[in-house]
Amino acid sequence: MKRQIGNAESAHFTSDIGLKKGDLNTAVALFFAFFVALQPAGAALGRKYGMVAWVPTCMLLWGLSTMLHVWVKERWQLYTLRIVIGCLEGMVIRPVYCLDGR
């Protein structure tokens, strides 16, 4: 996910919405903190609710969250979206790998 936001920055994402480059670094750090921290919880929830329901639900919410970047105008909005996306990706990555038996 870092690559996509990096691509957005190369197209002047932060300057277009009036943020500093440091704000983008903080947003990326928040993403990874929640991504890593919530992987075990995602695996447990995936087992509890079943992969057929869990993964598509997370992916739908993930898609909606990524689309909301269009309306980001403030630092807190970017941080909130990156946290939500980190949570959703973290809760899906581990359960999908568990399907392969790893």
Side-chain angles (χ1 to χ4, degrees), residues 2-79:
K2 166 104 171 73
R3 185 175 358 143
Q4 288 84 356
I5 202 159
N7 289 341
E9 178 53 32
S10 66
H12 311 290
F13 172 68
T14 52
S15 62
D16 287 348
I17 62 173
L19 299 177
K20 296 179 244 165
K21 289 189 181 195
D23 295 337
L24 187 67
N25 292 336
T26 302
V28 170
L30 288 169
F31 166 84
F32 280 111
F34 282 87
F35 174 78
V36 171
L38 291 176
Q39 283 186 354
L45 290 169
R47 285 189 195 103
K48 180 177 180 178
Y49 294 112
M51 300 305 282
V52 174
W54 182 249
V55 172
T57 301
C58 286
M59 289 292 93
L60 176 68
L61 294 172
W62 177 85
L64 292 171
S65 298
T66 57
M67 287 189 288
L68 290 175
H69 278 83
V70 171
W71 290 286
V72 169
K73 297 291 182 206
E74 301 289 332
R75 178 182 326 157
W76 70 267
Q77 294 169 329
L78 178 63
Y79 291 171

